[in-house]
Amino acid sequence: MSGGALIGVLVLSIALVVLIIVKFKMNPAIALILGSLFLGFVAGIPMMAISVTIHGLLMKRGLWNAAADENGNGINVDEQELPEKLPGFFVSLLPILAPVLLILLIGWFLGVAFRQITGSGTVASLTTFAIMQSVAATVAIHPVFIALACLDGALFGATVNDSGFWIVSNMAGLNFSGGVKTYTLGQAIASVVGIILIVVVGCISCLF
């Protein structure tokens, strides 16, 4: 990962930590752990190395005891029991997060497909809304995240069947190749980054 991309991921991780603390009132120590996990995962660090590093910090610095309950009492966890409990904790989240992840990705892919077929972001959004509204009540996530996934998929850039593509290309004096590199590629990047953020924030929201 390049230096600029790594800085961008770092800024995003900081924003995620601030959002978790301010919006969801989570303990700052836990928020920092989640932000570190996100940063390491996006940066391409192996998950085993991330877990070992965080485990070492928790034990050596006593950060685990900083995770207090509602009464302000520290949560004491035996160092020998922690490696055994963490896998079970993450496994217990799979039944909740797996359907959410699946529904969000389905909504996004449908938005992408209809945008490429029709060329209209409005038609793609409304069509995907109509399909996904029936499943919104079946998963443990606020419907606004499903709507965002549908809209984000419909953002994915189309080409020859999109009137906006030709308007932007002609007004900017670009040929077909130039329009693809600017209009289509730009929207595609925005859509992919958007669905990553929607999935991360949506999954976190399911835990509270």
Side-chain angles (χ1 to χ4, degrees), residues 122-168:
T122 303
V123 174
S125 300
L126 295 177
T127 306
T128 310
F129 285 159
I131 295 174
M132 297 301 296
Q133 67 176 353
S134 60
V135 301
T138 64
V139 291
I141 190 173
H142 197 284
V144 70
F145 290 102
I146 301 177
L148 286 173
C150 297
L151 287 170
D152 189 64
L155 174 65
F156 203 97
T159 52
V160 293
N161 59 347
D162 183 3
S163 59
F165 171 83
W166 297 111
I167 293 174
V168 172

Side-chain angles (χ1 to χ4, degrees), residues 11-97:
V11 173
L12 185 60
S13 302
I14 295 173
L16 177 63
V17 171
V18 174
L19 174 66
I20 294 174
I21 296 174
V22 175
K23 180 66 175 179
F24 301 107
K25 310 300 182 183
M26 183 180 288
N27 185 277
I30 300 178
L32 286 171
I33 294 173
L34 294 176
S36 301
L37 285 171
F38 174 76
L39 175 61
F41 177 76
V42 177
I45 300 175
M47 289 303 297
M48 181 60 68
I50 298 174
S51 61
V52 170
T53 302
I54 292 180
H55 174 262
L57 289 174
L58 290 174
M59 294 301 102
K60 291 181 180 179
R61 303 300 181 184
L63 290 178
W64 186 260
N65 292 330
D69 58 18
E70 295 180 356
N71 298 322
N73 299 319
I75 302 175
N76 295 313
V77 178
D78 189 354
E79 181 176 357
Q80 295 180 351
E81 295 180 357
L82 184 61
E84 299 177 358
K85 292 183 177 181
L86 281 179
F89 170 74
F90 289 114
V91 169
S92 67
L93 295 179
L94 289 179
I96 300 175
L97 299 183

